[in-house]
Amino acid sequence: MADTTGNPTDTEASSGGNDNSTPRKSSWRYIGPGIVVAATGVGAGDLVATLIAGSNFGYTLLWAAILGCLVKISLAEAAGRWHLSTGRTLFDGWASLGRWTTYFFVVYAVVWGFVYGAAAMSSSALPLQALFPDVMDLKWWAVACGLVGLVFVWFNKYAVFEKVMTVLVGVMFLVTVYLAIRVTPNLPDALAGLLPVLPDEKDSVLNTLGLVGGVGGTITLAAYGYWVNAKGWTDAGWMKVMRLDNRVAYATTGIFVIAMLFVGAELLHSANVAIAGGDKGLVQLGDILEKEYGTATAKFFLIGFFATSYTSLIGVWHGVSLMFADFVARYRGREGTTGEEVASGRRERSWPFRAYLLWLTFPPIVLVFQGQPFRLIILYGVLGAAFLPFLAVTLIWLLNSSRTPREWRNGWVSNVMLAGAGLLFLVLCVKQVWDQPWSEFF
């Protein structure tokens, strides 16, 4: 994807917030944060949504899945560009827009983290229970997943975290591509699916927008800039490297979702087989694969299912904890919190980072055993739907203002992409709010 700023490239404008920055040559050997954001952003729920789209509409919405990747590229690129061009963190940028951003983030981080922790643990537990049905109950598998994630992120810095995520992404890649080849996709139909055509059904526009918006990531898009800093990229000299890294992230995401859409189109759509929504749909798919292709293929798929779920768990445990630590540093009066501090690794050893890790792990265990409170689930859904419009709007604001060095401000391409993303997610947010059973809330 081309430079979305519409402004001078790295060789023409080599510095942003740091006049001494030297452009690094774009190279595959630097790739890392993009792999992390791709792995974290694509959870089991994303794969199920794509699988169901394939089972319902065949290849018709292939173009929407690809468009979703392009939308997320623009958001992640903008977040990374803010960190590198200004030398400041995204939360520091948000704080400069007014106190309302802080209030939104705090409520979001507390409520969202509480419910997400339980969901991530349960999602990771499902394939383990399917692989080892006689070992222990699903709830105890969920607790084990949460505790192992806590210990891993608590005691390891970004470098080790990235290596483990890369291995798990490799497993995800092998499994999804293998399944896509195994079901023998109809390539002429797949190519026809690149044409922007809507399914002939009620609410087809909203369903299509939902698929576009559901491809790979929510708050993890905002965490991308923090992972870029944690990698040691702290100034505009890394801009070209970051852009390559970001494209790799969403090319990888695109492969995952396209592969699962192929599986849905060939294995489910052609046989008129329906599966449940949510993570349990993947367990059902495992049963179908076992009947069609044997036990080995089914188990291989469940291993990939676990890798998909667990990368999302440890990715959020690390990335959102970094963001929370940055919020606390800013709240305590440390003006102008910088990417250099994130790169130093001090944030990963700080008490706010570890406090949020504990918040993501132990209170959600209560939800795993007792069920999720109705009102809290509604708030979780609304806040989650509101985050991406918030991210898109604030990035447009920050990257078109004097807060960003002139050479790294948005060009027309980036503004169009971010505005389109903001409008898309605003529509989905309104739909999510509208669909909530508010009459039962009060």
Side-chain angles (χ1 to χ4, degrees):
M1 184 178 176
D3 173 13
T4 59
T5 62
N7 290 315
T9 60
D10 302 274
T11 55
E12 296 167 314
S14 63
S15 65
N18 182 353
D19 292 335
N20 296 320
S21 60
T22 302
R24 271 75 172 182
K25 184 177 179 181
S26 184
S27 173
W28 293 96
R29 66 190 176 92
Y30 292 125
I31 299 302
I35 296 296
V36 171
V37 77
T40 307
V42 179
D46 298 296
L47 295 187
V48 171
T50 310
L51 197 64
I52 291 175
S55 69
N56 289 340
F57 311 118
Y59 295 102
T60 304
L61 292 180
L62 179 59
W63 65 272
I66 294 173
L67 179 60
C69 293
L70 295 178
V71 167
K72 300 298 175 61
I73 283 176
S74 66
L75 284 166
E77 187 275 340
R81 178 154 44 94
W82 166 264
H83 277 250
L84 295 182
S85 65
T86 65
R88 299 161 63 192
T89 64
L90 185 56
F91 190 85
D92 193 56
W94 284 340
S96 73
L97 301 178
R99 289 182 177 273
W100 66 275
T101 60
T102 301
Y103 300 145
F104 176 82
F105 178 79
V106 171
V107 175
Y108 178 87
V110 171
V111 176
W112 181 88
F114 186 33
V115 180
Y116 179 83
M121 288 186 239
S122 298
S123 178
S124 300
L126 278 170
L128 291 176
Q129 189 189 43
L131 284 166
F132 309 104
D134 300 322
V135 174
M136 57 183 169
D137 184 74
L138 177 67
K139 292 176 180 177
W140 290 109
W141 275 120
V143 171
C145 288
L147 293 178
V148 170
L150 169 69
V151 171
F152 171 73
V153 175
W154 188 290
F155 290 105
N156 288 293
K157 288 188 178 181
Y158 174 80
V160 176
F161 165 71
E162 182 190 289
K163 286 182 173 63
V164 170
M165 292 287 274
T166 302
V167 170
L168 291 174
V169 166
V171 173
M172 292 167 61
F173 187 89
L174 287 174
V175 170
T176 53
V177 171
Y178 167 75
L179 288 179
I181 295 171
R182 193 79 167 83
V183 300
T184 317
N186 186 321
L187 294 182
D189 285 354
L191 289 173
L194 296 175
L195 297 175
V197 175
L198 293 174
D200 185 17
E201 65 150 25
K202 183 182 178 182
D203 294 331
S204 61
V205 173
L206 286 174
N207 290 335
T208 302
L209 290 178
L211 180 61
V212 173
V215 177
T218 50
I219 194 172
T220 55
L221 292 166
Y224 178 62
Y226 289 86
W227 285 322
V228 162
N229 288 157
K231 180 76 170 175
W233 307 346
T234 57
D235 58 51
W238 290 99
M239 197 71 74
K240 186 176 287 187
V241 176
M242 182 275 291
R243 284 173 171 153
L244 173 64
D245 181 73
N246 181 43
R247 292 164 199 155
V248 169
Y250 284 96
T252 304
T253 299
I255 291 171
F256 292 152
V257 297
I258 290 169
M260 293 308 288
L261 191 138
F262 281 8
V263 173
E266 293 296 336
L267 190 62
L268 305 178
H269 181 69
S270 59
N272 197 26
V273 174
I275 61 170
D279 300 340
K280 291 184 179 178
L282 290 185
V283 176
Q284 280 183 269
L285 179 61
D287 295 336
I288 295 168
L289 288 169
E290 184 169 8
K291 291 177 183 176
E292 291 288 329
Y293 303 113
T295 302
T297 296
K299 290 191 179 301
F300 188 49
F301 165 72
L302 288 171
I303 292 169
F305 176 8
F306 172 73
T308 301
S309 297
Y310 210 62
T311 50
S312 295
L313 186 150
I314 60 176
V316 166
W317 262 230
H318 188 276
V320 184
S321 296
L322 268 181
M323 294 181 69
F324 186 78
D326 190 41
F327 151 70
V328 172
R330 190 66 171 67
Y331 181 76
R332 294 171 72 186
R334 293 175 61 187
E335 297 288 336
T337 54
T338 66
E340 293 281 358
E341 292 182 54
V342 179
S344 72
R346 289 192 294 270
R347 292 280 168 82
E348 294 165 277
R349 299 188 297 272
S350 67
W351 71 261
F353 180 91
R354 290 176 169 174
Y356 195 73
L357 268 180
L358 295 173
W359 176 253
L360 283 168
T361 307
F362 288 105
I365 288 176
V366 176
L367 299 186
V368 169
F369 281 93
Q370 309 237 342
Q372 300 179 354
F374 175 71
R375 289 183 176 83
L376 194 61
I377 297 305
I378 291 179
L379 292 176
Y380 166 77
V382 170
L383 287 169
F387 185 81
L388 284 178
F390 166 79
L391 178 62
V393 168
T394 54
L395 283 172
I396 290 173
W397 192 343
L398 291 170
L399 292 168
N400 284 286
S401 72
S402 59
R403 297 173 180 84
T404 304
R406 183 175 298 277
E407 60 266 38
W408 299 116
R409 291 178 196 169
N410 279 357
W412 70 269
V413 176
S414 189
N415 277 327
V416 167
M417 292 293 287
L418 289 175
L423 182 61
L424 164 68
F425 295 120
L426 181 61
V427 170
L428 294 175
C429 177
V430 170
K431 181 178 184 298
Q432 179 83 348
V433 172
W434 182 266
D435 289 344
Q436 298 297 334
W438 294 107
S439 60
E440 301 172 36
F441 184 86
F442 300 102

